[in-house]
Amino acid sequence: MTKIVFIEPDGTQKTVEALEGASLMLAATMGGVEGIAAECGGNCVCATCHCLVLEGPVESLSEMGEDEKDTLEFSAEKIFENSRLTCQLEACPEMDGLVFKVVGK
Amino acid sequence: MAGIVIIGAGHAGTQAAASLREGGYAGALTLVSADHDLPYHKPPLSKSFMKTADTPLQPLRGPSYFSDKNIDLRLGETVTAVDAGAKSVAFADGQTLAYDKLVLALGTVARQLDVPGAKLGGVVCLRTADDARRMRARLSGVSSAVVIGGGFIGLETAAMLNARGISVVVLEAAPEVLGRAVSAQTAATVREGLVASGVTVHRGATLERISGQGGQVQAVVTGDGQSIPADLVIVGIGAIPVTDLAETAGLAVENGILVDGAMRTNDPDIFAIGDCVSFPQAQIGQRVRLESVQNATDQARAVAQTLKGKPEPFTALPWFWSDIGEMKLQIAGLNHGATRQIVCLGETGVRAVFHMRDGALAAVETLNEPGIHMLSRRLLALGITPEEGQMTAGDLAGMKQLLRERVPA
């Protein structure tokens, strides 16, 4: 099982299990991570699953597509070099141990 | 203390419960749903949920969320009446539940088809998880389908069925698909895209009856006498706001439950949000009823603020998306009252349509242009109108510059 750590807006650390092939946003939702509204359900249109990649096997993350880039850039929140939309990240075993900080909405 | 009772656990009701807890409300909180399923995302029902026979629903919150947040989630329970005087709601089984404040998030129901044969087996609509399961259970045996209604749900479903190799005919009564929701130019591009992928679209079509045998649908007969074979008929002819409970409570109803800009009804202890309400819309300055996830969740946040005693004017910019096969249609703003359309064309038709009202940008429709959509949401929220040349060219870099002049990155 791939374990992913999310640090919630208030600093609480939550470890969730991600199913291979499903998005990290879904793993966070199912695991009850605070601050990820995931309003559009993973369509890359709301940016409410915005997280920062903090540490772990970051090389396992897929490259950012144009949709994700645009959605992040023009969302109302401030974006950072390590910003990602977790709905666009498909879980794989290599991601085990990744740590994200929730930005959310 | 009776606390807050929310009726309806769709996108609106569920977000309202979540926002109340996030905002620090610690009192009793009950979320009632006639649905048996844990609250789920509705948009995937016509798309990803249909992919395999066992694709699960996509939950809005994880399974332990409601108990973790001390939200009393009552699934499969139908509220039949609201007694505004006694401040209590009555359930179908005769029980009652008292409230201090009541939030109605009742949503819509599918408009029913009124022609002979509409009740035949295989004639379905698509609003709830149960509807979607019924449809999905039939799909493996379907070779031809007729979609009645060329609205968003109809076209999304048509594209999904077509991608599965099912022969699909869409019947639309109006001269063009997607009604007044989008410009004629955008609608035409969407229709042409569907036709190019193999879907047949009949516009200006009237319906005579649905014929069948042994209680099962076999064909749809149109007003001009054509009989179109179908072993599945999807009815997508619009939705009607659910207002019956509001009427039992004596609330004002007119194309939805009437609320003010803080989601208050004419009863000081009853509030309403989402698809079932008519509210004064800030950008267009008139009442509307909107059916969208964005409207549901933003109004949920607004009612949570109001219940906290800190009402804020509801000014959220409407936005919407519809995935029709490979076409990603997105809308920012509302085109009501727009008098001029500036069109940006690409190789396959419309890339974007910019609606102008009183010389200012009012709404933007895009097809497979998520960058322009997201940027437009920012521009509209800030009241920035790009130059005409930037709009016709779909000049993302130039329009982005306008945003950055106002709001540095």
Side-chain angles (χ1 to χ4, degrees):
Chain A
M1 206 44 129
T2 310
K3 287 193 171 14
I4 309 284
V5 178
F6 287 92
I7 299 170
E8 297 176 338
D10 73 350
T12 309
Q13 198 164 313
K14 213 168 256 175
T15 303
V16 303
E17 290 185 350
L19 281 176
E20 194 170 347
S23 76
L24 297 188
M25 172 278 283
L26 190 63
T29 304
M30 294 303 279
V33 173
E34 294 278 326
I36 294 188
E39 224 160 279
C40 76
N43 260 271
C44 199
V45 291
C46 71
T48 60
C49 66
H50 179 192
C51 287
L52 306 180
V53 185
L54 290 192
E55 56 187 47
V58 294
E59 66 285 350
S60 65
L61 294 169
S62 56
E63 258 189 56
M64 202 185 279
E66 284 302 314
D67 290 11
E68 185 183 347
K69 224 175 264 179
D70 287 340
T71 301
L72 267 171
E73 175 167 12
F74 301 123
S75 74
E77 280 84 30
K78 202 166 171 55
I79 60 163
F80 302 88
E81 258 182 25
N82 55 344
S83 286
R84 291 302 300 258
L85 294 178
T86 50
C87 73
Q88 299 302 300
L89 301 173
E90 208 174 275
C92 60
E94 292 73 30
M95 289 181 178
D96 190 63
L98 272 174
V99 181
F100 291 88
K101 184 169 176 24
V102 177
V103 180
K105 186 171 182 176
Chain B
M1 188 181 129
I4 298 173
V5 174
I6 302 169
I7 304 177
H11 290 265
T14 302
Q15 182 63 48
S19 292
L20 282 164
R21 285 297 187 231
E22 279 161 26
Y25 172 70
L29 183 52
T30 309
L31 180 59
V32 185
S33 173
D35 224 314
H36 290 271
D37 294 292
L38 200 65
Y40 54 90
H41 282 272
K42 290 260 171 78
L45 293 181
S46 58
K47 301 173 284 270
S48 57
F49 184 70
M50 296 289 167
K51 269 190 187 139
T52 68
D54 56 1
T55 300
L57 292 170
Q58 190 178 340
L60 289 169
R61 295 289 188 281
S64 64
Y65 179 84
F66 299 94
S67 54
D68 289 351
K69 296 290 174 189
N70 200 17
I71 297 166
D72 182 10
L73 177 63
R74 301 196 182 183
L75 297 177
E77 295 194 23
T78 304
V79 175
T80 52
V82 174
D83 185 336
K87 290 176 72 172
S88 78
V89 300
F91 291 91
D93 63 4
Q95 294 195 47
T96 60
L97 176 68
Y99 64 82
D100 292 316
K101 303 287 176 193
L102 180 68
V103 179
L104 301 176
L106 306 172
T108 58
V109 290
R111 190 184 298 279
Q112 298 295 308
L113 197 60
D114 186 22
V115 297
K119 304 276 186 232
L120 282 167
V123 180
V124 299
C125 64
L126 194 50
R127 302 291 315 170
T128 65
D130 279 340
D131 293 338
R133 286 194 193 95
R134 268 192 291 274
M135 179 170 151
R136 192 168 73 173
R138 288 187 165 263
L139 281 186
S140 59
V142 170
S143 60
S144 57
V146 170
V147 174
I148 299 173
F152 293 114
I153 289 181
L155 297 190
E156 287 177 6
T157 308
M160 179 274 296
L161 295 170
N162 179 62
R164 292 174 68 114
I166 294 169
S167 151
V168 184
V169 177
V170 176
L171 299 180
E172 167 57 52
E176 184 55 280
V177 296
L178 296 178
R180 282 170 299 174
V182 298
S183 63
Q185 296 93 328
T186 297
T189 298
V190 169
R191 173 174 46 78
E192 286 158 9
L194 276 172
V195 169
S197 71
V199 175
T200 302
V201 179
H202 291 318
R203 292 171 286 159
T206 55
L207 201 58
E208 185 69 34
R209 63 193 162 89
I210 301 174
S211 64
Q213 197 171 37
Q216 296 298 311
V217 64
Q218 278 190 321
V220 173
V221 182
T222 58
D224 57 5
Q226 275 192 75
S227 177
I228 307 167
D231 21 43
L232 179 70
V233 174
I234 296 95
V235 180
I237 53 172
I240 300 166
V242 178
T243 57
D244 47 356
L245 285 181
E247 282 155 28
T248 67
L251 304 180
V253 171
E254 193 187 329
N255 181 32
I257 303 166
L258 293 185
V259 295
D260 67 8
M263 307 301 132
R264 295 177 283 226
T265 68
N266 57 321
D267 180 304
D269 298 314
I270 307 181
F271 305 79
I273 54 174
D275 288 13
C276 68
V277 309
S278 163
F279 69 101
Q281 209 285 332
Q283 285 84 17
I284 58 172
Q286 67 185 64
R287 279 190 172 276
V288 288
R289 189 176 67 77
L290 297 177
E291 295 170 11
S292 77
V293 170
Q294 169 276 324
N295 187 62
T297 52
D298 281 334
Q299 291 191 343
R301 293 188 187 93
V303 82
Q305 278 298 120
T306 301
L307 287 167
K308 206 176 167 178
K310 293 179 179 165
E312 288 169 7
F314 185 70
T315 58
L317 180 83
W319 57 269
F320 180 85
W321 82 94
S322 175
D323 290 332
I324 301 169
E326 299 300 309
M327 293 178 282
K328 195 182 193 70
L329 169 62
Q330 294 176 288
I331 306 172
L334 294 178
N335 66 16
H336 298 55
T339 47
R340 187 164 168 246
Q341 285 71 35
I342 296 170
V343 182
C344 164
L345 291 172
E347 277 173 23
T348 54
V350 162
R351 285 174 61 205
V353 173
F354 299 84
H355 290 265
M356 307 293 285
R357 182 168 52 230
D358 303 328
L361 186 63
V364 181
E365 299 151 12
T366 52
L367 279 170
N368 297 329
E369 292 284 355
I372 297 179
H373 169 75
M374 291 302 293
L375 176 61
S376 297
R377 274 160 57 178
R378 298 295 304 281
L379 297 177
L380 286 164
L382 292 163
I384 300 172
T385 300
E387 290 160 27
E388 184 154 349
Q390 292 175 322
M391 293 191 268
T392 45
D395 174 10
L396 193 59
M399 292 189 281
K400 181 177 146 185
Q401 187 58 34
L402 296 176
L403 174 69
R404 293 302 168 223
E405 281 163 15
R406 188 81 71 85
V407 191

